[in-house]
Amino acid sequence: MILVAYKVRSTMLNKLLYMETFGCQMNVNDSERIVTMLADLGYAPTNDPAASDMILLNTCSVRGGAEEKVYRRLANLRIYKRDGKKQIIAVGGCVAQQEGEELLRKLPYLDLVIGTHNLHLLPEMVRGAERGERRSETTFIDNDQRLDLFPSIKGESRLSRFVTVMQGCDNFCSYCIVPFVRGREISRRSADILTEVRQLADDGVREVILLGQNVNSYGLKTESEPTFAELIRQVAEIDGIDRIRFTTSHPKDMSDELIACFGDVAKLSGQIHLPAQSGSDAVLKLMGRGYTRDSYLAKVHKIKTLRPDIVVTGDIIVGFPGETDADFEETLSLMEQVRYIDLFSFVYSPRPGTKAAELSDDLPRAVKMARLDRLMELQRRHTGEISQTYTGSVMSVLVEGEGKFPGQVSGKGEIGRIVNFPGDSSLIGSIVDVRIIKAYPNSFLGEL
Ligand code: SF4
């Protein structure tokens, strides 16, 4: 859970917004948009729910138990609305999309429910709530919507920004709820994306992270739009932008054209997130992932051939229904072959309405947890070993702010890892060479 306290440029901020954001980067990005939109209505972010005029939970439903968590959190937050205080309580994100009117029905103190496709309607809903109009819910999925309805973020200039290029997903992996709560894939117009990136570059941003649920299928549905590889090349031509990252990519859509970018687009990041989910063909088939273990490994190999110093991060689901000991061993052996620098791993939990939720799942929880422990142990070893290889090397670091300790500054190296090193704030905003003197599990210590 992330407390949002972005700074916004507005001179008329006379109300306070308390917001909690759960889940993925798409939600964090949506929260930034919400802050920007509500600033136009006079709302400034606060970390104090008691003092706020509006409380908004931006929710995620990817993991099991998400709905109960949201109900519990809302029950805790409602205490601030007692004593007749005029405070708006709202829920957005995937749980709002999924539960819809049910939330209003169950929670009499809730004022607004806003779906994942309807954020642009939020200001109007908030105005209505301020006028004391009836409680409202807007959760229609509009698969024809134009993503340019979403205002670009006007927040204070930072050095690294997310730029949404598409949203939704057509893949319907058997375990995943995203296509149901985020709708089908929609790509934003490339002209709008490039305008936004140029604007960000003018504001001093030096790194953009192109964002989408299935980012590498960008443009595939629209002939008039570039492919994702072409879009990356167009973004790379924008002066002032020195680094480009993207997330999240689906292995099946990692085309040769896109892989080639790692060979000749120098601004493209030295890190790629490529979620395998399992190393077993039988499990991948049940998951409906659309690739095999071999085709996944072949793509990783191609990328590493073009960019030998690239690091790979990934996602693995442990204990998927039907996963045998042999399947799990296949996953561990895939990890040995790829050698991820970081891995997001979790135990499978069924999401209602998905295909996988109908599969028989008789593997005891203790077995799943034991597998997760083994997997995490292996990953800790890989992370440690890979991190140590950087000791003594020189890394190019985009300095983004003060460091962890006084007298230090901090930034990201080409591989996306945090590097702290002694230096003063005059370095913030520059890209400097830093020698790595110590590797920690999630960061490096260096010297200029
Ligand atoms: S690609 Fe699969 S896991 Fe990823 S968002 Fe789409 S359905 Fe979910």
Side-chain angles (χ1 to χ4, degrees), residues 2 52 56 67 84 87 115 124 183 208 223-224 227 231 250 261 264 339 438:
I2 302 151
S52 69
L56 195 151
E67 300 79 9
Q87 187 185 44
E124 200 39 54
V208 287
E223 267 180 31
S224 56
T227 61
L231 181 71
H250 193 300
C261 291
D264 57 16
R339 288 181 65 82
K438 197 162 173 51

Side-chain angles (χ1 to χ4, degrees), residues 187-195 218 224-226 231 234:
S187 293
R188 207 174 152 201
R189 285 193 305 223
S190 57
D192 294 337
I193 296 168
L194 296 170
T195 301
Y218 172 84
S224 56
E225 290 297 349
L231 181 71
Q234 290 171 13

Side-chain angles (χ1 to χ4, degrees), residues 168-173 175-179 213-214 248 250 277 289:
C169 183
D170 287 353
N171 286 321
F172 290 92
C173 299
Y175 53 85
C176 182
I177 199 156
V178 165
Q213 254 99 26
N214 193 23
T248 287
H250 193 300
Q277 307 299 9
R289 291 287 288 172

